[in-house]
Amino acid sequence: MSTRDIALGTQHGVDREGRPESGAGPGTATVTETGPLASVTTLLRFATAGSVDDGKSTLVGRLLYDSKSVLTDQLRAVEAASGQRGHDGPDLALLTDGLRAEREQGITIDVAYRYFATPRRRFILADTPGHVQYTRNMVTGASTAELAVVLVDARNGVVEQTRRHAAVAALLRVPHIVLAVNKMDLVDYAEPVFTAIAKEFTDYAASLGLSEVTAIPISALTGDNVVTGSSRTDWYTGPTVLEHLEAVPVTHDPGQEVARLPVQYVLRTHGPERVERRYAGQLVSGMLRVGQPVTVLPAGHTSTIEAIDNLGDAVDVAWAPQSVSLRLADDLDVARGDLVVPRDAAVEPTRRLTATVCHLSDAPLRPGARVLLRHATRTVAAVVEEIPSRLVLADLTQHPEPGELVANDIGRVVVRTLEPLAVDPYALCRRTGSFLLIDPSDGTTLTAGMAGRAFGEAAEADAQGAGGRGSEAPDRSHMT
């Protein structure tokens, strides 16, 4: 069965967010193939990226327009603005370029979020900028994405910014990549042009550890292979962009993930015999159950979950991304910033952290810099001990001891913290494997970091060393 023939339908045992229904245990989520009018049961978060003028905003506009996801008043406003700029028809890029500066300059500056749905799936789309100085915004848009659409101008092929966006997607562990070779109308829909670009990008992506790459020839301007198939690319038999977005698997089983609950608040209530403490926060991954032995990190205190409360109701099981409060059997010293984890899946706290980072600030990051490190709900003082290497995007080599990282650089850093942190490898858990470095003087974000190894086979080693569900000791290559 081809991708074009697949339709995702009802998922038995899961709710409308793709999480287990009440009473459904882990591993019960299944995907069935049904007709085109299947109910909307899953949500896909995806981001677009590409170099300047590759047509990202036009693609997004075409996707919204052809899928009939544009309100009438929005379309009228775009048609009026397009007429003022001398266009014969609506400039679909204006549907996402919402800032005045973006419309005046004809470029995307900020991340534009759009929400739309088809009969098969709901979508949250992040249209990210293409200019190199706004790469930091691509980090923001792709940080929660499950799929990234990387655009390439068929006339220019793979360029440095394409490689940078692929590296960021790999660094952020985005599991699915769509290579949209755009402006095929300007190269006469030539199959050899598409094939050469697809091979070059796929080879580069494979060296980054990105194995799930789907290449699609499109023309965002004319709509070829965006929502409907094109007779002008009869040599292409794969899905359109929308068909692939509707069919790509995104269902997760929380029972297969290691459980992590960063404590956000400590709630105190007066019970009949004692003051009861509940520890509230969002379960960022996995599942927790009443009666389960847990460890509170970084102190390492152990206890058992006595009760779980979700929206005022007592429940036996909680799963990500629910916000819950726990009551433990023992009276422990637990505070905001602590991490509640299963006792058999605890990570060893550390004060010296090695990570791959993307530097976001205009001010360079240098060894000796004193910063704040924000990890989940915990913020601690830290110092940058060293910057061992910077990534060279052209050939993915590491430039040793660069001395500093400037805006949009990807590199390795070693950070020492004032207090111990329970940091997972990013390959094991996105939320507890990531952190921010912050300027303590004004609170601006300097750097986004991902603990553990970065690309290729090393990334797979992190995931295998983490033990999957956390039943084995996690890989500690990021801890020294």
Side-chain angles (χ1 to χ4, degrees), residues 279-292:
Y279 310 108
Q282 184 185 45
L283 190 58
V284 298
S285 66
M287 303 178 70
L288 291 175
R289 299 176 179 272
V290 172
Q292 183 175 5

Side-chain angles (χ1 to χ4, degrees), residues 21-44:
E21 292 175 346
S22 177
T28 60
T30 59
V31 178
T32 60
E33 296 180 8
T34 64
L37 296 180
S39 60
V40 178
T41 57
T42 56
L43 171 68
L44 174 67

Side-chain angles (χ1 to χ4, degrees), residues 171 173 354-356 412 424-429 433 450-468 472-479:
L171 187 62
R173 299 295 199 278
T354 302
T356 302
R412 298 284 285 172
D424 285 303
Y426 188 78
L428 175 65
C429 181
M450 281 62 68
R453 299 171 178 136
F455 308 115
E457 294 180 358
E460 294 299 323
D462 258 355
Q464 293 173 4
E472 302 175 11
D475 176 83
R476 296 187 175 91
S477 60
H478 62 293
M479 301 177 183

Side-chain angles (χ1 to χ4, degrees), residues 154 181 184 187-200 217 235:
V181 182
M184 289 296 296
V187 294
D188 296 326
Y189 300 94
E191 181 180 7
V193 174
F194 168 75
T195 302
I197 294 173
K199 183 180 187 307
E200 181 180 358
W235 42 266

Side-chain angles (χ1 to χ4, degrees), residues 16-329:
R16 292 175 62 84
E17 296 293 339
R19 300 187 296 269
E21 292 175 346
S22 177
T28 60
T30 59
V31 178
T32 60
E33 296 180 8
T34 64
L37 296 180
S39 60
V40 178
T41 57
T42 56
L43 171 68
L44 174 67
R45 299 174 185 269
F46 72 100
T48 60
S51 190
V52 179
D53 293 331
D54 279 353
K56 296 179 304 305
S57 296
T58 302
L59 170 62
V60 173
R62 174 63 64 183
L63 196 60
L64 297 174
Y65 182 80
D66 285 1
S67 64
K68 297 178 173 57
S69 301
V70 182
L71 298 177
T72 303
D73 58 341
Q74 289 178 312
L75 185 58
R76 287 174 180 170
V78 168
E79 290 174 341
S82 301
Q84 293 173 359
R85 298 174 63 172
H87 295 289
D88 294 333
D91 182 357
L92 299 179
L94 298 180
L95 287 171
T96 54
D97 288 340
L99 297 178
R100 182 184 298 273
E102 293 177 323
R103 296 195 176 195
E104 290 176 350
Q105 299 178 46
I107 63 173
T108 301
I109 297 174
D110 198 5
V111 180
Y113 291 94
R114 292 295 180 268
Y115 309 86
F116 68 103
T118 68
R120 300 180 185 178
R121 179 169 281 173
R122 291 168 296 152
F123 302 93
I124 299 178
L125 181 157
D127 182 29
T128 68
H131 280 260
V132 63
Q133 62 265 40
Y134 300 126
T135 302
R136 68 198 82 178
N137 296 39
M138 191 258 179
V139 175
T140 301
S143 61
T144 58
E146 296 166 291
L147 180 146
V149 179
V150 179
L151 269 77
V152 172
D153 189 324
R155 300 168 300 175
N156 303 328
V158 176
V159 297
E160 181 181 1
Q161 189 68 341
T162 310
R163 297 187 180 94
R164 179 175 284 106
H165 287 150
V168 170
L171 187 62
L172 294 172
R173 299 295 199 278
V174 178
H176 305 285
I177 304 295
V178 172
L179 173 66
V181 182
N182 193 23
K183 304 188 180 182
M184 289 296 296
D185 54 311
L186 300 182
V187 294
D188 296 326
Y189 300 94
E191 181 180 7
V193 174
F194 168 75
T195 302
I197 294 173
K199 183 180 187 307
E200 181 180 358
F201 181 87
T202 302
D203 291 345
Y204 184 82
S207 65
L208 292 168
L210 295 170
S211 58
E212 295 290 333
V213 178
T214 300
I216 304 175
I218 69 168
S219 172
L221 185 64
T222 59
D224 294 285
N225 294 327
V226 177
V227 172
T228 58
S230 172
S231 60
R232 288 173 284 201
T233 56
D234 53 2
W235 42 266
Y236 173 73
T237 59
T240 66
V241 173
L242 182 61
E243 287 171 342
H244 183 71
L245 293 177
E246 289 179 323
V248 67
V250 295
T251 301
H252 304 290
D253 183 354
Q256 300 296 320
E257 302 172 352
V258 63
R260 295 291 187 258
L261 177 69
V263 176
Q264 188 169 2
Y265 297 105
V266 178
L267 308 174
R268 293 175 176 83
T269 58
H270 292 276
E273 298 180 357
R274 59 170 181 162
V275 176
E276 294 182 348
R277 291 179 173 84
R278 289 180 176 266
Y279 310 108
Q282 184 185 45
L283 190 58
V284 298
S285 66
M287 303 178 70
L288 291 175
R289 299 176 179 272
V290 172
Q292 183 175 5
V294 294
T295 299
V296 180
L297 299 173
H301 300 309
T302 60
S303 186
T304 302
I305 298 176
E306 195 171 69
I308 301 176
D309 184 271
N310 178 26
L311 298 177
D313 296 324
V315 296
D316 292 329
V317 183
W319 54 83
Q322 288 181 334
S323 294
V324 299
S325 65
L326 307 179
R327 187 176 75 243
L328 302 181

